[in-house]
Amino acid sequence: LAKTTQPISMDSYEGQEVNITCSHNNIATNDYITWYQQFPSQGPRFIIQGYKTKVTNEVASLFIPADRKSSTLSLPRVSLSDTAVYYCLVGDVGSGNTGKLIFGQGTTLQVKP
Amino acid sequence: DTAVSQTPKYLVTQMGNDKSIKCEQNLGHDTMYWYKQDSKKFLKIMFSYNNKELIINETVPNRFSPKSPDKAHLNLHINSLELGDSAVYFCASSRGLAGGYTDTQYFGPGTRLTVL
């Protein structure tokens, strides 16, 4: 099972870049790494997904080293509205349509003015 | 239009009761999930259905029984509710769960269950 570990919490200030790292030492060859964002009283929302190297979209960047045992979500120039819980998800897909999806414990990001 | 909807949003009940939570998705997805989020925000998968077939069944008490009448619906029935069942339950759906990737999941707004 691919288990993930993230920092429990992080603080930042508006306008700063925030990097959240997730460890997944047992990641399997076919696993992708996905990050979700969750605001209070809402369900998680997809941010970004990647397999290796770097992925960038309009919201964030995802950096994955060659060994894929960790990944770093980078949020450029955060604002107060980025205050949320961020989850790292590593797909552990077995044969066919079976598999297990394991969320990390989440990182609570608090952005201060 | 709500992509993934759950009812009810809040559910307060007594220990020992039986209750159901309903979930519907209008995204045309083949796979649906139930997650439990405890007070520490830990999000844990419980069940997953693909085209009405159970494909993931985590270590969950058999008091919890999912039912998928069609691929757009996945309901969760809980028998003999216990205090420890108090949590937020999220339904989610994805296009598929196959091959070498994890499809993006779309989550519902959650159902906050409080057992007294």
Side-chain angles (χ1 to χ4, degrees), chain A residues 30 32 36 38 42-44 46 49 87 89 91 93 97 99-101 103 105, chain B residues 33 35 37 41 43 45 55-56 58 90 97-100 102 104-105 107-108:
Chain A
N30 291 333
Y32 275 63
Y36 286 81
Q38 185 179 25
Q42 294 184 27
F46 172 86
Q49 183 181 81
Y87 290 95
L89 172 62
V93 182
N97 283 330
K100 295 182 179 179
L101 308 172
F103 279 74
Q105 74 270 30
Chain B
Y33 313 78
Y35 286 86
Q37 186 169 49
K41 301 295 185 184
L43 194 58
I45 191 165
I55 58 170
I56 296 175
E58 290 297 286
F90 286 101
L97 178 59
T102 301
T104 300
Q105 295 176 77
F107 284 81

PDB file of all heavy atoms in Angstrom, chain A residues 30 32 36 38 42-44 46 49 87 89 91 93 97 99-101 103 105, chain B residues 33 35 37 41 43 45 55-56 58 90 97-100 102 104-105 107-108:
ATOM      1  N   ASN A  30       3.009   2.203 -11.490  1.00  0.00           N
ATOM      2  CA  ASN A  30       1.905   2.770 -12.258  1.00  0.00           C
ATOM      3  C   ASN A  30       1.134   3.871 -11.528  1.00  0.00           C
ATOM      4  O   ASN A  30       0.166   4.397 -12.066  1.00  0.00           O
ATOM      5  CB  ASN A  30       0.919   1.672 -12.649  1.00  0.00           C
ATOM      6  CG  ASN A  30       1.504   0.713 -13.661  1.00  0.00           C
ATOM      7  OD1 ASN A  30       2.382   1.069 -14.431  1.00  0.00           O
ATOM      8  ND2 ASN A  30       1.030  -0.515 -13.633  1.00  0.00           N
ATOM      9  N   TYR A  32      -0.032   7.369 -10.050  1.00  0.00           N
ATOM     10  CA  TYR A  32       0.047   8.798 -10.265  1.00  0.00           C
ATOM     11  C   TYR A  32      -0.098   9.499  -8.917  1.00  0.00           C
ATOM     12  O   TYR A  32      -0.599   8.925  -7.955  1.00  0.00           O
ATOM     13  CB  TYR A  32      -1.064   9.269 -11.210  1.00  0.00           C
ATOM     14  CG  TYR A  32      -0.711   9.142 -12.667  1.00  0.00           C
ATOM     15  CD1 TYR A  32      -0.472   7.890 -13.231  1.00  0.00           C
ATOM     16  CD2 TYR A  32      -0.617  10.261 -13.476  1.00  0.00           C
ATOM     17  CE1 TYR A  32      -0.137   7.773 -14.565  1.00  0.00           C
ATOM     18  CE2 TYR A  32      -0.292  10.160 -14.819  1.00  0.00           C
ATOM     19  CZ  TYR A  32      -0.049   8.906 -15.355  1.00  0.00           C
ATOM     20  OH  TYR A  32       0.281   8.792 -16.680  1.00  0.00           O
ATOM     21  N   TYR A  36      -5.307  17.429  -3.838  1.00  0.00           N
ATOM     22  CA  TYR A  36      -6.641  18.000  -3.700  1.00  0.00           C
ATOM     23  C   TYR A  36      -6.611  19.112  -2.654  1.00  0.00           C
ATOM     24  O   TYR A  36      -5.806  19.110  -1.731  1.00  0.00           O
ATOM     25  CB  TYR A  36      -7.652  16.940  -3.253  1.00  0.00           C
ATOM     26  CG  TYR A  36      -8.036  15.956  -4.325  1.00  0.00           C
ATOM     27  CD1 TYR A  36      -7.218  14.863  -4.620  1.00  0.00           C
ATOM     28  CD2 TYR A  36      -9.222  16.100  -5.037  1.00  0.00           C
ATOM     29  CE1 TYR A  36      -7.578  13.958  -5.605  1.00  0.00           C
ATOM     30  CE2 TYR A  36      -9.587  15.190  -6.018  1.00  0.00           C
ATOM     31  CZ  TYR A  36      -8.757  14.123  -6.291  1.00  0.00           C
ATOM     32  OH  TYR A  36      -9.119  13.226  -7.269  1.00  0.00           O
ATOM     33  N   GLN A  38      -9.165  21.288   0.051  1.00  0.00           N
ATOM     34  CA  GLN A  38     -10.460  21.242   0.719  1.00  0.00           C
ATOM     35  C   GLN A  38     -10.669  22.474   1.585  1.00  0.00           C
ATOM     36  O   GLN A  38      -9.881  22.730   2.509  1.00  0.00           O
ATOM     37  CB  GLN A  38     -10.594  19.978   1.572  1.00  0.00           C
ATOM     38  CG  GLN A  38     -11.982  19.829   2.185  1.00  0.00           C
ATOM     39  CD  GLN A  38     -12.130  18.568   3.016  1.00  0.00           C
ATOM     40  OE1 GLN A  38     -11.174  18.026   3.534  1.00  0.00           O
ATOM     41  NE2 GLN A  38     -13.361  18.100   3.139  1.00  0.00           N
ATOM     42  N   GLN A  42     -16.725  21.835   2.750  1.00  0.00           N
ATOM     43  CA  GLN A  42     -16.830  21.454   1.341  1.00  0.00           C
ATOM     44  C   GLN A  42     -16.086  20.154   1.106  1.00  0.00           C
ATOM     45  O   GLN A  42     -15.232  19.755   1.900  1.00  0.00           O
ATOM     46  CB  GLN A  42     -16.249  22.542   0.431  1.00  0.00           C
ATOM     47  CG  GLN A  42     -17.016  23.847   0.434  1.00  0.00           C
ATOM     48  CD  GLN A  42     -16.440  24.833  -0.560  1.00  0.00           C
ATOM     49  OE1 GLN A  42     -15.837  24.439  -1.561  1.00  0.00           O
ATOM     50  NE2 GLN A  42     -16.634  26.109  -0.294  1.00  0.00           N
ATOM     51  N   GLY A  43     -16.394  19.515  -0.019  1.00  0.00           N
ATOM     52  CA  GLY A  43     -15.647  18.338  -0.392  1.00  0.00           C
ATOM     53  C   GLY A  43     -14.326  18.724  -1.035  1.00  0.00           C
ATOM     54  O   GLY A  43     -14.162  19.852  -1.514  1.00  0.00           O
ATOM     55  N   PRO A  44     -13.350  17.822  -1.057  1.00  0.00           N
ATOM     56  CA  PRO A  44     -12.073  18.105  -1.699  1.00  0.00           C
ATOM     57  C   PRO A  44     -12.245  18.422  -3.184  1.00  0.00           C
ATOM     58  O   PRO A  44     -13.175  17.929  -3.833  1.00  0.00           O
ATOM     59  CB  PRO A  44     -11.289  16.804  -1.513  1.00  0.00           C
ATOM     60  CG  PRO A  44     -11.911  16.152  -0.315  1.00  0.00           C
ATOM     61  CD  PRO A  44     -13.364  16.512  -0.399  1.00  0.00           C
ATOM     62  N   PHE A  46     -10.001  18.804  -6.916  1.00  0.00           N
ATOM     63  CA  PHE A  46      -8.763  18.492  -7.634  1.00  0.00           C
ATOM     64  C   PHE A  46      -7.946  19.743  -7.909  1.00  0.00           C
ATOM     65  O   PHE A  46      -8.478  20.775  -8.317  1.00  0.00           O
ATOM     66  CB  PHE A  46      -9.124  17.801  -8.951  1.00  0.00           C
ATOM     67  CG  PHE A  46      -7.960  17.586  -9.880  1.00  0.00           C
ATOM     68  CD1 PHE A  46      -7.166  16.466  -9.747  1.00  0.00           C
ATOM     69  CD2 PHE A  46      -7.673  18.498 -10.882  1.00  0.00           C
ATOM     70  CE1 PHE A  46      -6.092  16.251 -10.611  1.00  0.00           C
ATOM     71  CE2 PHE A  46      -6.603  18.301 -11.743  1.00  0.00           C
ATOM     72  CZ  PHE A  46      -5.820  17.165 -11.611  1.00  0.00           C
ATOM     73  N   GLN A  49      -2.272  16.876 -10.991  1.00  0.00           N
ATOM     74  CA  GLN A  49      -1.857  15.478 -10.995  1.00  0.00           C
ATOM     75  C   GLN A  49      -0.608  15.316 -11.845  1.00  0.00           C
ATOM     76  O   GLN A  49      -0.459  16.000 -12.873  1.00  0.00           O
ATOM     77  CB  GLN A  49      -2.978  14.597 -11.550  1.00  0.00           C
ATOM     78  CG  GLN A  49      -2.682  13.107 -11.544  1.00  0.00           C
ATOM     79  CD  GLN A  49      -3.832  12.295 -12.124  1.00  0.00           C
ATOM     80  OE1 GLN A  49      -3.980  12.174 -13.342  1.00  0.00           O
ATOM     81  NE2 GLN A  49      -4.645  11.745 -11.256  1.00  0.00           N
ATOM     82  N   TYR A  87      -4.439  17.808   0.342  1.00  0.00           N
ATOM     83  CA  TYR A  87      -4.233  16.368   0.451  1.00  0.00           C
ATOM     84  C   TYR A  87      -3.402  15.848  -0.716  1.00  0.00           C
ATOM     85  O   TYR A  87      -3.619  16.223  -1.875  1.00  0.00           O
ATOM     86  CB  TYR A  87      -5.576  15.625   0.417  1.00  0.00           C
ATOM     87  CG  TYR A  87      -6.422  15.806   1.640  1.00  0.00           C
ATOM     88  CD1 TYR A  87      -7.408  16.783   1.685  1.00  0.00           C
ATOM     89  CD2 TYR A  87      -6.256  14.989   2.762  1.00  0.00           C
ATOM     90  CE1 TYR A  87      -8.207  16.941   2.811  1.00  0.00           C
ATOM     91  CE2 TYR A  87      -7.037  15.148   3.889  1.00  0.00           C
ATOM     92  CZ  TYR A  87      -8.014  16.125   3.895  1.00  0.00           C
ATOM     93  OH  TYR A  87      -8.799  16.288   5.009  1.00  0.00           O
ATOM     94  N   LEU A  89      -2.573  12.451  -2.753  1.00  0.00           N
ATOM     95  CA  LEU A  89      -3.201  11.160  -3.017  1.00  0.00           C
ATOM     96  C   LEU A  89      -2.334  10.360  -3.979  1.00  0.00           C
ATOM     97  O   LEU A  89      -1.932  10.873  -5.027  1.00  0.00           O
ATOM     98  CB  LEU A  89      -4.578  11.381  -3.634  1.00  0.00           C
ATOM     99  CG  LEU A  89      -5.330  10.172  -4.163  1.00  0.00           C
ATOM    100  CD1 LEU A  89      -5.620   9.205  -3.031  1.00  0.00           C
ATOM    101  CD2 LEU A  89      -6.624  10.602  -4.829  1.00  0.00           C
ATOM    102  N   GLY A  91      -2.394   6.971  -6.144  1.00  0.00           N
ATOM    103  CA  GLY A  91      -3.218   5.870  -6.626  1.00  0.00           C
ATOM    104  C   GLY A  91      -2.452   4.572  -6.544  1.00  0.00           C
ATOM    105  O   GLY A  91      -1.322   4.475  -6.993  1.00  0.00           O
ATOM    106  N   VAL A  93      -3.201   1.258  -7.878  1.00  0.00           N
ATOM    107  CA  VAL A  93      -4.146   0.533  -8.722  1.00  0.00           C
ATOM    108  C   VAL A  93      -3.678  -0.894  -8.943  1.00  0.00           C
ATOM    109  O   VAL A  93      -2.562  -1.127  -9.366  1.00  0.00           O
ATOM    110  CB  VAL A  93      -4.295   1.253 -10.074  1.00  0.00           C
ATOM    111  CG1 VAL A  93      -5.303   0.536 -10.943  1.00  0.00           C
ATOM    112  CG2 VAL A  93      -4.719   2.688  -9.841  1.00  0.00           C
ATOM    113  N   ASN A  97      -9.847  -3.180 -12.627  1.00  0.00           N
ATOM    114  CA  ASN A  97     -10.489  -2.015 -12.034  1.00  0.00           C
ATOM    115  C   ASN A  97     -10.397  -1.985 -10.523  1.00  0.00           C
ATOM    116  O   ASN A  97     -11.057  -1.192  -9.871  1.00  0.00           O
ATOM    117  CB  ASN A  97     -11.966  -1.965 -12.440  1.00  0.00           C
ATOM    118  CG  ASN A  97     -12.120  -1.473 -13.858  1.00  0.00           C
ATOM    119  OD1 ASN A  97     -11.309  -0.693 -14.326  1.00  0.00           O
ATOM    120  ND2 ASN A  97     -13.147  -1.925 -14.519  1.00  0.00           N
ATOM    121  N   GLY A  99      -8.409  -1.386  -6.888  1.00  0.00           N
ATOM    122  CA  GLY A  99      -7.342  -0.513  -6.412  1.00  0.00           C
ATOM    123  C   GLY A  99      -7.704   0.120  -5.089  1.00  0.00           C
ATOM    124  O   GLY A  99      -8.804  -0.033  -4.602  1.00  0.00           O
ATOM    125  N   LYS A 100      -6.782   0.767  -4.507  1.00  0.00           N
ATOM    126  CA  LYS A 100      -7.026   1.455  -3.245  1.00  0.00           C
ATOM    127  C   LYS A 100      -6.500   2.875  -3.330  1.00  0.00           C
ATOM    128  O   LYS A 100      -5.437   3.109  -3.877  1.00  0.00           O
ATOM    129  CB  LYS A 100      -6.342   0.709  -2.097  1.00  0.00           C
ATOM    130  CG  LYS A 100      -6.928  -0.667  -1.869  1.00  0.00           C
ATOM    131  CD  LYS A 100      -6.271  -1.355  -0.703  1.00  0.00           C
ATOM    132  CE  LYS A 100      -6.906  -2.723  -0.499  1.00  0.00           C
ATOM    133  NZ  LYS A 100      -6.284  -3.441   0.625  1.00  0.00           N
ATOM    134  N   LEU A 101      -7.250   3.799  -2.845  1.00  0.00           N
ATOM    135  CA  LEU A 101      -6.911   5.213  -2.902  1.00  0.00           C
ATOM    136  C   LEU A 101      -6.663   5.712  -1.507  1.00  0.00           C
ATOM    137  O   LEU A 101      -7.524   5.611  -0.655  1.00  0.00           O
ATOM    138  CB  LEU A 101      -8.050   5.999  -3.549  1.00  0.00           C
ATOM    139  CG  LEU A 101      -8.493   5.443  -4.901  1.00  0.00           C
ATOM    140  CD1 LEU A 101      -9.745   6.140  -5.375  1.00  0.00           C
ATOM    141  CD2 LEU A 101      -7.383   5.605  -5.908  1.00  0.00           C
ATOM    142  N   PHE A 103      -5.524   8.804   0.893  1.00  0.00           N
ATOM    143  CA  PHE A 103      -5.216  10.213   1.131  1.00  0.00           C
ATOM    144  C   PHE A 103      -4.241  10.327   2.291  1.00  0.00           C
ATOM    145  O   PHE A 103      -4.312   9.577   3.248  1.00  0.00           O
ATOM    146  CB  PHE A 103      -6.487  10.976   1.499  1.00  0.00           C
ATOM    147  CG  PHE A 103      -7.327  11.373   0.322  1.00  0.00           C
ATOM    148  CD1 PHE A 103      -8.076  10.437  -0.351  1.00  0.00           C
ATOM    149  CD2 PHE A 103      -7.371  12.690  -0.093  1.00  0.00           C
ATOM    150  CE1 PHE A 103      -8.864  10.808  -1.435  1.00  0.00           C
ATOM    151  CE2 PHE A 103      -8.155  13.073  -1.170  1.00  0.00           C
ATOM    152  CZ  PHE A 103      -8.905  12.128  -1.847  1.00  0.00           C
ATOM    153  N   GLN A 105      -2.752  12.602   5.499  1.00  0.00           N
ATOM    154  CA  GLN A 105      -3.537  13.209   6.585  1.00  0.00           C
ATOM    155  C   GLN A 105      -3.876  14.659   6.304  1.00  0.00           C
ATOM    156  O   GLN A 105      -4.623  15.284   7.028  1.00  0.00           O
ATOM    157  CB  GLN A 105      -2.804  13.092   7.931  1.00  0.00           C
ATOM    158  CG  GLN A 105      -1.623  14.028   8.097  1.00  0.00           C
ATOM    159  CD  GLN A 105      -0.338  13.408   7.615  1.00  0.00           C
ATOM    160  OE1 GLN A 105      -0.321  12.575   6.709  1.00  0.00           O
ATOM    161  NE2 GLN A 105       0.773  13.801   8.223  1.00  0.00           N
TER     162      GLN A 105
ATOM    163  N   TYR B  33     -17.670   6.621  -5.077  1.00  0.00           N
ATOM    164  CA  TYR B  33     -16.958   6.301  -3.844  1.00  0.00           C
ATOM    165  C   TYR B  33     -17.713   6.843  -2.635  1.00  0.00           C
ATOM    166  O   TYR B  33     -18.432   7.831  -2.726  1.00  0.00           O
ATOM    167  CB  TYR B  33     -15.567   6.955  -3.834  1.00  0.00           C
ATOM    168  CG  TYR B  33     -14.746   6.804  -5.078  1.00  0.00           C
ATOM    169  CD1 TYR B  33     -14.993   7.584  -6.201  1.00  0.00           C
ATOM    170  CD2 TYR B  33     -13.679   5.903  -5.125  1.00  0.00           C
ATOM    171  CE1 TYR B  33     -14.217   7.464  -7.335  1.00  0.00           C
ATOM    172  CE2 TYR B  33     -12.895   5.784  -6.259  1.00  0.00           C
ATOM    173  CZ  TYR B  33     -13.172   6.566  -7.356  1.00  0.00           C
ATOM    174  OH  TYR B  33     -12.397   6.436  -8.489  1.00  0.00           O
ATOM    175  N   TYR B  35     -16.370   8.130   1.220  1.00  0.00           N
ATOM    176  CA  TYR B  35     -15.271   8.409   2.118  1.00  0.00           C
ATOM    177  C   TYR B  35     -15.827   8.834   3.476  1.00  0.00           C
ATOM    178  O   TYR B  35     -16.916   9.408   3.564  1.00  0.00           O
ATOM    179  CB  TYR B  35     -14.404   9.563   1.602  1.00  0.00           C
ATOM    180  CG  TYR B  35     -13.509   9.241   0.445  1.00  0.00           C
ATOM    181  CD1 TYR B  35     -13.967   9.308  -0.865  1.00  0.00           C
ATOM    182  CD2 TYR B  35     -12.177   8.888   0.658  1.00  0.00           C
ATOM    183  CE1 TYR B  35     -13.123   9.034  -1.928  1.00  0.00           C
ATOM    184  CE2 TYR B  35     -11.329   8.612  -0.399  1.00  0.00           C
ATOM    185  CZ  TYR B  35     -11.813   8.687  -1.694  1.00  0.00           C
ATOM    186  OH  TYR B  35     -10.985   8.413  -2.740  1.00  0.00           O
ATOM    187  N   GLN B  37     -14.658  11.193   6.791  1.00  0.00           N
ATOM    188  CA  GLN B  37     -13.695  12.156   7.315  1.00  0.00           C
ATOM    189  C   GLN B  37     -13.983  12.376   8.797  1.00  0.00           C
ATOM    190  O   GLN B  37     -15.055  12.831   9.171  1.00  0.00           O
ATOM    191  CB  GLN B  37     -13.783  13.477   6.561  1.00  0.00           C
ATOM    192  CG  GLN B  37     -12.696  14.468   6.976  1.00  0.00           C
ATOM    193  CD  GLN B  37     -12.627  15.648   6.041  1.00  0.00           C
ATOM    194  OE1 GLN B  37     -13.631  16.276   5.726  1.00  0.00           O
ATOM    195  NE2 GLN B  37     -11.426  15.960   5.581  1.00  0.00           N
ATOM    196  N   LYS B  41      -9.734  15.447  10.338  1.00  0.00           N
ATOM    197  CA  LYS B  41      -9.660  15.724   8.898  1.00  0.00           C
ATOM    198  C   LYS B  41      -9.086  14.570   8.088  1.00  0.00           C
ATOM    199  O   LYS B  41      -8.858  14.723   6.892  1.00  0.00           O
ATOM    200  CB  LYS B  41      -8.823  16.985   8.611  1.00  0.00           C
ATOM    201  CG  LYS B  41      -9.353  18.233   9.264  1.00  0.00           C
ATOM    202  CD  LYS B  41     -10.697  18.615   8.699  1.00  0.00           C
ATOM    203  CE  LYS B  41     -11.172  19.931   9.279  1.00  0.00           C
ATOM    204  NZ  LYS B  41     -12.536  20.277   8.819  1.00  0.00           N
ATOM    205  N   LEU B  43      -9.069  11.680   5.783  1.00  0.00           N
ATOM    206  CA  LEU B  43     -10.047  11.270   4.775  1.00  0.00           C
ATOM    207  C   LEU B  43      -9.751   9.841   4.348  1.00  0.00           C
ATOM    208  O   LEU B  43      -8.704   9.567   3.781  1.00  0.00           O
ATOM    209  CB  LEU B  43      -9.964  12.215   3.583  1.00  0.00           C
ATOM    210  CG  LEU B  43     -11.090  12.190   2.566  1.00  0.00           C
ATOM    211  CD1 LEU B  43     -12.418  12.474   3.210  1.00  0.00           C
ATOM    212  CD2 LEU B  43     -10.792  13.195   1.469  1.00  0.00           C
ATOM    213  N   ILE B  45     -11.072   6.200   2.511  1.00  0.00           N
ATOM    214  CA  ILE B  45     -12.027   5.589   1.607  1.00  0.00           C
ATOM    215  C   ILE B  45     -12.706   4.408   2.287  1.00  0.00           C
ATOM    216  O   ILE B  45     -12.107   3.680   3.068  1.00  0.00           O
ATOM    217  CB  ILE B  45     -11.363   5.137   0.295  1.00  0.00           C
ATOM    218  CG1 ILE B  45     -12.425   4.744  -0.730  1.00  0.00           C
ATOM    219  CG2 ILE B  45     -10.358   4.028   0.530  1.00  0.00           C
ATOM    220  CD1 ILE B  45     -11.913   4.627  -2.132  1.00  0.00           C
ATOM    221  N   ILE B  55     -15.964  -2.597  -6.101  1.00  0.00           N
ATOM    222  CA  ILE B  55     -14.571  -2.869  -6.439  1.00  0.00           C
ATOM    223  C   ILE B  55     -13.619  -2.568  -5.289  1.00  0.00           C
ATOM    224  O   ILE B  55     -12.497  -3.055  -5.270  1.00  0.00           O
ATOM    225  CB  ILE B  55     -14.121  -2.101  -7.695  1.00  0.00           C
ATOM    226  CG1 ILE B  55     -14.296  -0.583  -7.506  1.00  0.00           C
ATOM    227  CG2 ILE B  55     -14.874  -2.571  -8.914  1.00  0.00           C
ATOM    228  CD1 ILE B  55     -13.641   0.235  -8.605  1.00  0.00           C
ATOM    229  N   ILE B  56     -14.016  -1.729  -4.379  1.00  0.00           N
ATOM    230  CA  ILE B  56     -13.200  -1.443  -3.207  1.00  0.00           C
ATOM    231  C   ILE B  56     -14.086  -1.580  -1.978  1.00  0.00           C
ATOM    232  O   ILE B  56     -15.162  -1.011  -1.911  1.00  0.00           O
ATOM    233  CB  ILE B  56     -12.599  -0.026  -3.234  1.00  0.00           C
ATOM    234  CG1 ILE B  56     -11.645   0.129  -4.404  1.00  0.00           C
ATOM    235  CG2 ILE B  56     -11.896   0.286  -1.920  1.00  0.00           C
ATOM    236  CD1 ILE B  56     -11.121   1.541  -4.562  1.00  0.00           C
ATOM    237  N   GLU B  58     -13.085  -1.389   1.884  1.00  0.00           N
ATOM    238  CA  GLU B  58     -12.090  -1.286   2.940  1.00  0.00           C
ATOM    239  C   GLU B  58     -12.594  -1.928   4.221  1.00  0.00           C
ATOM    240  O   GLU B  58     -13.737  -2.392   4.295  1.00  0.00           O
ATOM    241  CB  GLU B  58     -11.742   0.178   3.184  1.00  0.00           C
ATOM    242  CG  GLU B  58     -10.962   0.807   2.041  1.00  0.00           C
ATOM    243  CD  GLU B  58      -9.625   0.139   1.848  1.00  0.00           C
ATOM    244  OE1 GLU B  58      -8.703   0.355   2.668  1.00  0.00           O
ATOM    245  OE2 GLU B  58      -9.473  -0.631   0.876  1.00  0.00           O
ATOM    246  N   PHE B  90     -18.364  11.717   2.680  1.00  0.00           N
ATOM    247  CA  PHE B  90     -18.309  12.314   1.347  1.00  0.00           C
ATOM    248  C   PHE B  90     -18.512  11.250   0.286  1.00  0.00           C
ATOM    249  O   PHE B  90     -17.913  10.175   0.335  1.00  0.00           O
ATOM    250  CB  PHE B  90     -16.951  12.976   1.099  1.00  0.00           C
ATOM    251  CG  PHE B  90     -16.760  14.269   1.834  1.00  0.00           C
ATOM    252  CD1 PHE B  90     -16.015  14.315   2.997  1.00  0.00           C
ATOM    253  CD2 PHE B  90     -17.317  15.441   1.347  1.00  0.00           C
ATOM    254  CE1 PHE B  90     -15.827  15.504   3.673  1.00  0.00           C
ATOM    255  CE2 PHE B  90     -17.133  16.640   2.016  1.00  0.00           C
ATOM    256  CZ  PHE B  90     -16.401  16.669   3.183  1.00  0.00           C
ATOM    257  N   LEU B  97     -11.537   4.037 -12.916  1.00  0.00           N
ATOM    258  CA  LEU B  97     -10.412   3.697 -12.034  1.00  0.00           C
ATOM    259  C   LEU B  97      -9.773   2.470 -12.634  1.00  0.00           C
ATOM    260  O   LEU B  97     -10.122   1.355 -12.312  1.00  0.00           O
ATOM    261  CB  LEU B  97     -10.892   3.425 -10.614  1.00  0.00           C
ATOM    262  CG  LEU B  97      -9.796   3.006  -9.618  1.00  0.00           C
ATOM    263  CD1 LEU B  97      -8.724   4.067  -9.515  1.00  0.00           C
ATOM    264  CD2 LEU B  97     -10.408   2.736  -8.259  1.00  0.00           C
ATOM    265  N   ALA B  98      -8.918   2.710 -13.576  1.00  0.00           N
ATOM    266  CA  ALA B  98      -8.374   1.573 -14.304  1.00  0.00           C
ATOM    267  C   ALA B  98      -6.998   1.926 -14.830  1.00  0.00           C
ATOM    268  O   ALA B  98      -6.559   3.059 -14.772  1.00  0.00           O
ATOM    269  CB  ALA B  98      -9.301   1.193 -15.455  1.00  0.00           C
ATOM    270  N   GLY B  99      -6.313   0.904 -15.325  1.00  0.00           N
ATOM    271  CA  GLY B  99      -5.038   1.158 -15.961  1.00  0.00           C
ATOM    272  C   GLY B  99      -4.017   1.708 -15.001  1.00  0.00           C
ATOM    273  O   GLY B  99      -3.944   1.303 -13.848  1.00  0.00           O
ATOM    274  N   GLY B 100      -3.232   2.630 -15.440  1.00  0.00           N
ATOM    275  CA  GLY B 100      -2.114   3.110 -14.641  1.00  0.00           C
ATOM    276  C   GLY B 100      -2.302   4.510 -14.106  1.00  0.00           C
ATOM    277  O   GLY B 100      -1.348   5.193 -13.804  1.00  0.00           O
ATOM    278  N   THR B 102      -4.941   7.396 -11.779  1.00  0.00           N
ATOM    279  CA  THR B 102      -6.088   7.629 -10.899  1.00  0.00           C
ATOM    280  C   THR B 102      -6.904   8.768 -11.471  1.00  0.00           C
ATOM    281  O   THR B 102      -6.430   9.874 -11.570  1.00  0.00           O
ATOM    282  CB  THR B 102      -5.611   7.996  -9.489  1.00  0.00           C
ATOM    283  OG1 THR B 102      -4.826   6.940  -8.976  1.00  0.00           O
ATOM    284  CG2 THR B 102      -6.783   8.236  -8.571  1.00  0.00           C
ATOM    285  N   THR B 104      -9.421  11.788 -11.861  1.00  0.00           N
ATOM    286  CA  THR B 104      -9.829  12.880 -10.984  1.00  0.00           C
ATOM    287  C   THR B 104     -11.173  12.554 -10.360  1.00  0.00           C
ATOM    288  O   THR B 104     -12.106  12.132 -11.044  1.00  0.00           O
ATOM    289  CB  THR B 104      -9.951  14.180 -11.788  1.00  0.00           C
ATOM    290  OG1 THR B 104      -8.699  14.481 -12.365  1.00  0.00           O
ATOM    291  CG2 THR B 104     -10.410  15.321 -10.896  1.00  0.00           C
ATOM    292  N   GLN B 105     -11.241  12.759  -9.060  1.00  0.00           N
ATOM    293  CA  GLN B 105     -12.488  12.525  -8.352  1.00  0.00           C
ATOM    294  C   GLN B 105     -13.207  13.839  -8.116  1.00  0.00           C
ATOM    295  O   GLN B 105     -12.586  14.851  -7.799  1.00  0.00           O
ATOM    296  CB  GLN B 105     -12.216  11.858  -7.012  1.00  0.00           C
ATOM    297  CG  GLN B 105     -11.620  10.468  -7.144  1.00  0.00           C
ATOM    298  CD  GLN B 105     -11.286   9.892  -5.797  1.00  0.00           C
ATOM    299  OE1 GLN B 105     -12.153   9.435  -5.064  1.00  0.00           O
ATOM    300  NE2 GLN B 105     -10.023   9.907  -5.462  1.00  0.00           N
ATOM    301  N   PHE B 107     -16.031  15.467  -5.727  1.00  0.00           N
ATOM    302  CA  PHE B 107     -16.643  15.197  -4.433  1.00  0.00           C
ATOM    303  C   PHE B 107     -17.955  15.945  -4.246  1.00  0.00           C
ATOM    304  O   PHE B 107     -18.135  17.064  -4.755  1.00  0.00           O
ATOM    305  CB  PHE B 107     -15.688  15.592  -3.299  1.00  0.00           C
ATOM    306  CG  PHE B 107     -14.578  14.617  -3.082  1.00  0.00           C
ATOM    307  CD1 PHE B 107     -13.446  14.637  -3.896  1.00  0.00           C
ATOM    308  CD2 PHE B 107     -14.646  13.670  -2.071  1.00  0.00           C
ATOM    309  CE1 PHE B 107     -12.418  13.731  -3.711  1.00  0.00           C
ATOM    310  CE2 PHE B 107     -13.614  12.767  -1.876  1.00  0.00           C
ATOM    311  CZ  PHE B 107     -12.501  12.796  -2.698  1.00  0.00           C
ATOM    312  N   GLY B 108     -18.837  15.318  -3.494  1.00  0.00           N
ATOM    313  CA  GLY B 108     -20.063  15.985  -3.071  1.00  0.00           C
ATOM    314  C   GLY B 108     -19.789  16.910  -1.906  1.00  0.00           C
ATOM    315  O   GLY B 108     -18.660  16.977  -1.404  1.00  0.00           O
TER     316      GLY B 108
END
